[in-house]
């Protein structure tokens, strides 16, 4: 699967910073209260995902939004080409 980087360096650094912050927080909570592991495990997985997005500089959600906007523009231009103009 080929992908190109779709987030800026500043955005990537913010994702890495926030991801590491939440990962550290969740790991500390898991050590302190191991019986509540399941709720903190979700935070750990989401934080790891944000760190990965920052390192790769690729966000699948941003990519989906950009592709959706491109698709909407294509449909709009095709719709305008098919409709007759009312300039009479």
């Amino acid at each position: 699967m080929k992908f190109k980087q779709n987030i800026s360096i500043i955005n990537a650094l913010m994702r890495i910073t926030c991801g590491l912050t939440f990962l550290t927080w969740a790991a500390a909570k898991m050590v302190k209260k191991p019986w509540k592991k399941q709720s903190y495990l979700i935070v750990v997985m989401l934080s790891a995902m944000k760190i990965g997005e920052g390192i790769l500089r690729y966000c699948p959600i941003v990519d989906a939004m950009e592709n959706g906007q491109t698709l909407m523009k294509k449909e709009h231009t095709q719709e305008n080409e098919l409709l007759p103009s009312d300039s009479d």
Side-chain angles (χ1 to χ4, degrees), residues 12-76:
L13 290 174
M14 290 299 295
R15 287 173 192 253
I16 293 170
T17 303
C18 291
L20 287 173
T21 302
F22 282 116
L23 183 66
T24 305
W25 173 80
K29 290 290 186 177
M30 284 174 64
V31 168
K32 196 171 183 180
K33 298 178 183 177
W35 58 89
K36 290 188 175 182
K37 187 189 293 189
Q38 192 172 17
S39 61
Y40 296 120
L41 193 59
I42 294 170
V43 176
V44 168
M45 290 190 318
L46 291 174
S47 300
M49 185 180 71
K50 288 297 163 192
I51 294 168
E53 288 175 2
I55 291 171
L56 295 176
R57 291 186 52 200
Y58 175 77
C59 179
I61 296 173
V62 171
D63 192 29
M65 293 295 288
E66 288 174 354
N67 287 340
Q69 288 178 354
T70 308
L71 183 64
M72 293 284 284
K73 286 180 184 176
K74 278 184 184 177
E75 288 179 359
H76 183 67

